[in-house]
Amino acid sequence: MKQTLEKLLKEAVERIGVKEPPHIEIEVPKEESMGDLSTPVAMALAHTLKRPPRDIAEDIAGGVSGEGIFERVEVAGPGFINFTFKKDFLHSELKRLLKEGTTFLRRDLGQGRKIQIEFVSANPTGPLHLGHGRGAAVGGALSNLLEAAGFEVERAYYVNDAGLQVRLLGESVFARYRELRGLPHEFPKEGYRGDYVADIARAIMDSAGDKYKDSTFDEAQDFFVDFSLRMMLDETKEDLASFGITFDTWQSERELYESGGVKQAIESLDAKGLIYESGGAIWFRAMEFGEDKDRVIVKSDGHHTYFASDIAYHAKKIEGGFDELINIWGADHHGYIPRLEGVIEALGYERDKLKVLLVQMVSLLRGGEPVQMSKRAGEFVTLREVIEEVGADTTKFIFLTRRPDSHLTFDLEAAKAASAENPVYYVQYANARINSIFAHATEQGVSTDALEGADLGELEEKEEIRLIKKLLAYPMAFEAAVKGREPHRITFYLQELAGMFHPYYNTHRVVTDEPGLTAARLALCRAVRLVIKEGLRILGLSAPDRM
RNA sequence: GCGCCCAUAGCUCAGCUGGAUAGAGCACCGGACUACGGAUCCGGGUGUCGGGGGUUCGAAUCCUCCUGGGCGCGCCA
């Protein structure tokens, strides 16, 4: 629909003597009386052509060749050109949608370009919390979205399984282990205090018994750290699975050290003279890349900072042949962005090869009262608990009906209360409802197989025309979502589509006494279902046949 | 002190990258087909778009200052 107009408009604009036409904006006007699609292009041209916008609009409108396509082409307001399509055109486009299916809905904007999306990447020192859930929902939806748009997408998870934090986890588990055994123990001062630490200790008792009752932590360290890591990682994967999120690659930080990747990355920076020693530590010349201070890679005690392995990790990503890298981070890491971009430049690549998408913080409330989400503190609400309490689809939907950069307060009480009335069901119900219409049709002995031949010209009610236009507008929403990397646009589109389907259903019967009309309406329902399923799939939401 | 993000209806949020009279859902009130699922539908109103200034044909959207909130600014991760 939009593409057809785009092409005709471009020709018309060239026809009035504009050699290099600007980008032609096309939008759906807010009022139906303003036509189906609209363009402000005449107003944009007014300045350069030094003519009144309405005159230009008249000229362009007169030059649009689209006989058989437009019912009306009108100039309105300060200089908008409004287009209203002929019903025949809408019907033939709907026919195409039904025939081509998702091919009609998607556009190949990626052209097979490789893109890696890294998200969640939580420290394996504690369970996933709600903030991770937001990253997971957005990252998963964005991945599906870009995949549908013809990108080759890799979903990546980075596991920080090296360094002092995981050692501290092991030490905390060790202390709990001794505690459970009734042995004297000293809990590390900054240790992890959540219940999950004791859970791990219990699991160790189950599998290793009292094998380590006489060991010091130094002796038992490897076992405790590895066991704890494996268990945390397994639980993380379980949580993500129950949230409907999957990953293609799990990059271990430890592996980057063991394979020599970190060493290599540092050497390559060194070879470029971007590294120096001072005060016993090794520094990266971040200031040469716009940072306000240089950054330590290796501390004076010999330990590497996270930054060191991040350099190696991103070097490895780039060498993986990706055209674009996307990192989805919590907004509390925003200060880290220039540092990492600097490194990418230092490694000899374009800075904008990496796009960091910040997902704003989620503050958790329960009945208006703040709930702490600190991993070190004893009490916090995990993603798992929220999924169990509120449900995966509802939780995801709450995340996907907001711009990622909007701050979000997630009130558990409100979410649960809203759960029964949640808009996600409104959308899913449209799908389920269509399924029962088809079941009903079959019961009535109406064939639902041969809808290809249906005469869609039968669809003349205004609710039907509106619905068709909305369906044909899906590619526009899709394109905007892809270009802006904003999956939430799909969410809003689906709510609007369902918001047209339900009233239609209540006004007009699909299965009627007239076979021709029935076939056409069934075909329309099938198209609605197709689009809803496609949208829900992209968002990572389920599309149950019955609810 | 410096930097990033946010502020739109009572609440939760959209607003298609500068366009027409700023929109949904929730909540509240009233109503609906002996037929395809009432998780539905129909009707009812609400705005100094946080505030001031600027840019221009035109600003919720861009610039600037201010206010308020969130988050960063380590040889932490």
Side-chain angles (χ1 to χ4, degrees):
Chain A
M1 190 163 81
K2 184 191 172 192
Q3 279 174 309
T4 307
L5 176 59
E6 221 163 29
K7 191 164 150 282
L8 293 172
L9 256 180
K10 193 159 177 281
E11 289 167 8
V13 169
E14 281 166 1
R15 208 164 287 153
I16 65 164
V18 178
K19 284 167 208 87
E20 281 178 49
H23 170 70
I24 298 176
E25 206 74 37
I26 293 176
E27 55 197 31
V28 178
K30 48 179 124 188
E31 303 248 346
E32 282 180 43
S33 63
M34 297 167 176
D36 302 330
L37 290 179
S38 177
T39 179
V41 69
M43 289 180 282
L45 287 169
H47 189 70
T48 46
L49 295 182
K50 296 192 166 59
R51 293 176 52 203
R54 285 194 64 112
D55 285 5
I56 302 171
E58 293 288 355
D59 285 357
I60 296 174
V64 173
S65 62
E67 70 282 9
I69 295 180
F70 299 114
E71 181 79 40
R72 288 196 313 275
V73 179
E74 316 172 292
V75 176
F80 289 96
I81 312 173
N82 295 338
F83 300 86
T84 306
F85 290 100
K86 277 204 155 95
K87 285 181 184 172
D88 286 352
F89 176 73
L90 299 173
H91 292 142
S92 68
E93 287 289 282
L94 177 62
K95 179 141 263 177
R96 258 183 69 207
L97 191 165
L98 283 160
K99 192 171 161 220
E100 296 172 15
T102 53
T103 314
F104 181 92
L105 301 176
R106 301 172 185 174
R107 282 190 62 184
D108 188 7
L109 300 164
Q111 312 265 331
R113 276 187 296 148
K114 283 182 73 179
I115 186 162
Q116 189 209 50
I117 305 180
E118 185 207 322
F119 56 111
V120 187
S121 297
N123 266 325
T125 50
L128 298 180
H129 56 66
L130 204 53
H132 297 125
R134 187 175 192 182
V138 171
L142 184 62
S143 301
N144 298 337
L145 178 69
L146 295 182
E147 214 160 54
F151 289 89
E152 193 182 311
V153 176
E154 177 180 299
R155 297 158 176 81
Y157 193 113
Y158 184 49
V159 185
N160 292 112
D161 54 2
L164 298 175
Q165 290 302 314
V166 289
R167 185 181 190 279
L168 187 60
L169 174 68
E171 208 177 339
S172 307
V173 172
F174 184 71
R176 288 284 181 242
Y177 171 82
R178 290 186 63 89
E179 183 181 22
L180 288 167
R181 276 260 165 269
L183 299 165
H185 62 280
E186 196 180 330
F187 200 78
K189 209 184 282 168
E190 297 288 305
Y192 296 100
R193 297 190 172 271
D195 291 343
Y196 65 92
V197 174
D199 293 342
I200 300 173
R202 266 187 289 273
I204 286 181
M205 283 173 54
D206 289 347
S207 74
D210 51 10
K211 185 175 168 194
Y212 294 95
K213 72 177 165 59
D214 298 322
S215 311
T216 63
F217 177 62
D218 282 344
E219 290 160 356
Q221 178 178 342
D222 286 352
F223 175 80
F224 273 81
V225 168
D226 287 353
F227 190 99
S228 305
L229 267 176
R230 204 175 333 114
M231 190 161 156
M232 288 313 307
L233 212 52
D234 284 347
E235 303 218 343
T236 294
K237 287 180 183 177
E238 257 176 55
D239 288 354
L240 290 167
S242 69
F243 203 41
I245 302 290
T246 58
F247 287 87
D248 303 309
T249 58
W250 298 75
Q251 173 64 51
S252 144
E253 180 186 13
R254 198 187 282 185
E255 188 273 336
L256 290 172
Y257 283 103
E258 287 166 358
S259 67
V262 175
K263 193 163 167 263
Q264 226 170 45
I266 295 176
E267 280 166 3
S268 107
L269 290 178
D270 195 17
K272 294 178 180 171
L274 295 172
I275 275 177
Y276 65 93
E277 207 216 293
S278 169
I282 297 177
W283 299 70
F284 167 63
R285 294 188 191 278
M287 285 174 76
E288 293 196 8
F289 301 92
E291 275 250 81
D292 47 3
K293 52 185 87 160
D294 289 341
R295 301 293 176 175
V296 170
I297 295 176
V298 185
K299 296 186 273 181
S300 53
D301 66 4
H303 285 111
H304 290 74
T305 62
Y306 258 36
F307 189 37
S309 43
D310 275 344
I311 294 171
Y313 180 32
H314 285 81
K316 183 172 176 179
K317 285 186 181 194
I318 291 173
E319 283 153 19
F322 293 102
D323 298 292
E324 187 180 336
L325 302 172
I326 294 180
N327 285 0
I328 297 179
W329 286 353
D332 51 342
H333 290 92
H334 77 261
Y336 199 64
I337 298 173
R339 204 182 306 183
L340 207 51
E341 285 180 348
V343 161
I344 289 185
E345 203 180 324
L347 290 168
Y349 301 97
E350 294 291 317
R351 209 173 240 272
D352 61 5
K353 188 125 188 145
L354 172 72
K355 288 206 184 81
V356 179
L357 224 85
L358 289 181
V359 174
Q360 279 295 338
M361 303 282 89
V362 179
S363 43
L364 190 61
L365 305 180
R366 186 183 280 282
E369 290 297 306
V371 181
Q372 276 302 320
M373 291 217 286
S374 160
K375 234 179 285 184
R376 294 175 190 238
E379 190 210 351
F380 58 90
V381 177
T382 61
L383 175 62
R384 180 177 297 185
E385 287 169 322
V386 175
I387 292 174
E388 281 166 4
E389 208 174 317
V390 181
D393 279 343
T394 304
T395 303
K396 269 187 187 169
F397 203 80
I398 288 173
F399 290 134
L400 295 171
T401 38
R402 283 147 173 87
R403 284 191 337 272
D405 59 0
S406 69
H407 297 258
L408 164 57
T409 53
F410 194 110
D411 192 308
L412 283 164
E413 295 301 322
K416 255 196 309 189
S419 172
E421 296 287 319
N422 196 281
V424 72
Y425 297 123
Y426 186 75
V427 175
Q428 289 174 329
Y429 185 50
N431 173 65
R433 182 169 247 178
I434 290 169
N435 283 322
S436 37
I437 294 173
F438 274 87
H440 175 76
T442 307
E443 244 173 63
Q444 300 295 307
V446 177
S447 165
T448 54
D449 302 329
L451 295 178
E452 291 77 16
D455 176 14
L456 301 181
E458 299 265 0
L459 301 172
E460 290 196 302
E461 299 289 349
K462 70 175 192 301
E463 291 86 355
E464 291 168 336
I465 299 297
R466 286 183 74 202
L467 207 41
I468 294 171
K469 287 173 181 171
K470 192 69 190 173
L471 289 170
L472 299 180
Y474 176 86
M476 292 174 72
F478 176 75
E479 197 180 323
V482 171
K483 286 185 174 163
R485 310 275 132 101
E486 293 173 325
H488 74 274
R489 291 184 186 281
I490 303 288
T491 320
F492 282 90
Y493 171 87
L494 288 180
Q495 290 186 76
E496 288 164 12
L497 177 61
M500 290 185 182
F501 174 73
H502 288 305
Y504 169 59
Y505 171 89
N506 273 279
T507 323
H508 301 287
R509 284 194 62 81
V510 173
V511 181
T512 67
D513 299 337
E514 301 171 51
L517 183 62
T518 301
R521 289 184 171 172
L522 283 172
L524 177 59
C525 286
R526 175 169 287 176
V528 171
R529 184 174 62 183
L530 181 76
V531 172
I532 286 182
K533 280 195 145 175
E534 167 78 353
L536 288 175
R537 196 195 58 75
I538 285 174
L539 296 176
L541 297 165
S542 65
D545 292 337
R546 271 193 303 273
M547 298 174 63

